[in-house]
Amino acid sequence: MGASRTSGVGTTGTEGARWGSPPGPAPGGASSARRHGTAEGSPGARHTGARGEPRADETHRAGPLIVTEDLELLDDLLRLCAAAGVDPEVHHRVPERRANWTDPPLVLIGDDSAARCRGAVRRPGIVLVGRERDDPEMWRLAVEIGAECVLRLPDAESLLVDRIADAAEGAGRQALTVGVAGGRGGAGASTLACALALAAARAGQRTLLVDGDPLGGGLDVLLGGEREEGRRWPDFAASKGRLAGGALEESLPSVRGVRMLSWGREPTAPVPPAAVRSVLAAARRRGGVVVVDLPRGGGEPTAEALAQLDLGLLVVPGELRAVAAAHRTASALGVTVRDLRVVARGPYAAGLDERWIADALRLPLAGELPYDPGAVADQDAGVPPGAEPRGPLGRFCAAFWERVLTPGGAA
């Protein structure tokens, strides 16, 4: 297979591989650098300095250390690193410098080189890679070198690309992803989504606000960022596969500490489900908080968004008709969203309160959205909902994040 290139942002080709300095020529009489078209002096080559340190002009994302003398396996690993958007460092033997072994975010050891790595310093992030199936020797070697897993190509290519990209991005805990939907039209879901994003940013969380409703008024307008430069949903319509989370984040408009992904003003075709999946998965890998304003309609793109949620909030006004409409919405959301909760919004019709609404929908109560008589005037004046931390909506959102983000706190 030829070198692949992932669609979207933050991807590179194989020409960026870094090469260590093996003590002798690679098998076949030519150095692996020349065999792979990255000989010194070629346009795309990256080389370590005399002592192995990267040059001062190094600007690419550092990738894994690859240890192998198997040129066919090396071809595959370089191709997978290119798909992950990273530049690996290649050694034919265990590097002599400790830093070359311990500093990379991941170490990929070919099964041909595993035996020579027995005496290397133990470290996390070692993956043993090979092609042989059902070879018990590989598992024994994996234990001896402290490998976290054994991956066999080509079956595990997709898994390995994800592992390489996660390590290069420093991916840790995924973002808490909260979807907000209205029990009926005009329930206030977009208002709550915007306020939640602003509150999360004030609390120091990396925050992305996603407009999931192409037929809505636009969260960028609600947040006051419709004129901000950056990419919108139509720019990602052709995306598929894996996107680099950091590049995605940097490409989006930022308002009041919140990155936002909205639709723009021009009519556009629906974004394909694969693009929704790729974009949200990339956003989640960055950690922090992702808030998604969900459409009330269904469809495959919406299903992809629902599949990424950790928590769903259903905003239900205190009216009997709203509760009846919310029954249908809750049934549709509940098929995919495992943790769905009610946010009741006053004022209430006679005989109703937040507990009655939650009980009627047979869902847990996330809280009562306070009535704010000044909200309409604030929006008319260009003040985003929840922008005032001491206001009713700001206090509600701050308390919500304190509950769901505090370890061991009441979710």
Side-chain angles (χ1 to χ4, degrees), residues 63-66 104-108 123-127 148 160 163-164 167:
L65 166 67
I66 298 175
L106 190 68
V107 176
L108 306 179
R123 55 150 291 170
I126 295 178
V127 177
E148 295 180 355
L160 186 53
R163 184 67 184 271
I164 292 168

Side-chain angles (χ1 to χ4, degrees), residues 36-356:
H36 290 274
T38 53
E40 187 165 0
S42 61
R46 299 176 63 203
H47 304 278
T48 52
R51 297 181 57 191
E53 295 87 358
R55 288 178 176 176
D57 61 353
E58 198 74 89
T59 58
H60 297 77
R61 280 199 306 159
L65 166 67
I66 298 175
V67 181
T68 183
E69 291 183 348
D70 183 336
L71 295 182
E72 291 185 4
L73 178 61
L74 180 56
D75 270 330
D76 286 337
L77 294 178
L78 290 176
R79 173 172 53 82
L80 298 179
C81 286
V86 301
D87 298 341
E89 181 173 347
V90 179
H91 285 258
H92 301 295
R93 299 173 178 84
V94 178
E96 295 182 2
R97 291 184 68 247
R98 180 186 177 99
N100 288 104
W101 175 260
T102 58
D103 287 356
L106 190 68
V107 176
L108 306 179
I109 299 177
D111 55 354
D112 65 293
S113 300
R116 294 191 295 276
C117 295
R118 286 191 180 106
V121 176
R122 290 291 181 115
R123 55 150 291 170
I126 295 178
V127 177
L128 181 57
V129 186
R131 291 193 186 86
E132 295 297 327
R133 294 181 175 275
D134 302 322
D135 182 2
E137 180 69 7
M138 281 190 67
W139 294 101
R140 184 179 65 80
L141 288 171
V143 172
E144 292 181 359
I145 66 176
E148 295 180 355
C149 61
V150 175
L151 297 180
R152 294 187 177 89
L153 304 182
D155 294 349
E157 285 194 356
S158 178
L159 179 62
L160 186 53
V161 169
D162 284 350
R163 184 67 184 271
I164 292 168
D166 283 345
E169 288 184 351
R173 184 176 180 180
Q174 287 196 327
L176 176 66
T177 306
V178 178
V180 186
R184 64 155 170 81
S190 297
T191 296
L192 178 57
C194 181
L196 284 171
L198 290 174
R202 283 195 296 267
Q205 296 289 328
R206 174 186 278 117
T207 306
L208 172 61
L209 176 61
V210 179
D211 191 347
D213 188 358
L215 301 180
L219 289 188
D220 54 347
V221 176
L222 194 60
L223 197 59
E226 66 270 25
R227 297 185 183 276
E228 295 294 325
E229 294 293 327
R231 304 180 77 180
R232 265 69 175 180
W233 267 120
D235 298 314
F236 296 98
S239 299
K240 57 184 178 179
R242 185 186 180 96
L243 302 183
L248 169 69
E249 182 180 24
E250 291 302 316
S251 73
L252 299 177
S254 178
V255 179
R256 296 174 179 257
V258 175
R259 294 284 179 176
M260 60 180 181
L261 179 54
S262 58
W263 289 92
R265 306 276 70 82
E266 297 298 323
T268 58
V271 173
V276 175
R277 184 189 316 124
S278 295
V279 168
L280 290 182
R284 297 193 71 200
R285 287 194 299 272
R286 295 294 289 167
V289 165
V290 176
V291 180
V292 184
D293 182 24
L294 296 166
R296 296 187 66 241
E300 292 185 36
T302 300
E304 290 292 348
L306 293 176
Q308 304 265 4
L309 299 184
D310 298 303
L311 171 63
L313 299 178
L314 183 61
V315 182
V316 184
E319 309 162 359
L320 284 174
R321 290 185 63 192
V323 175
H327 265 295
R328 294 187 292 272
T329 304
S331 297
L333 295 176
V335 173
T336 306
V337 182
R338 290 171 295 179
D339 189 353
L340 180 62
R341 311 180 193 181
V342 171
V343 175
R345 180 171 70 82
Y348 300 102
L352 274 63
D353 61 16
E354 68 276 14
R355 290 290 177 187
W356 188 95

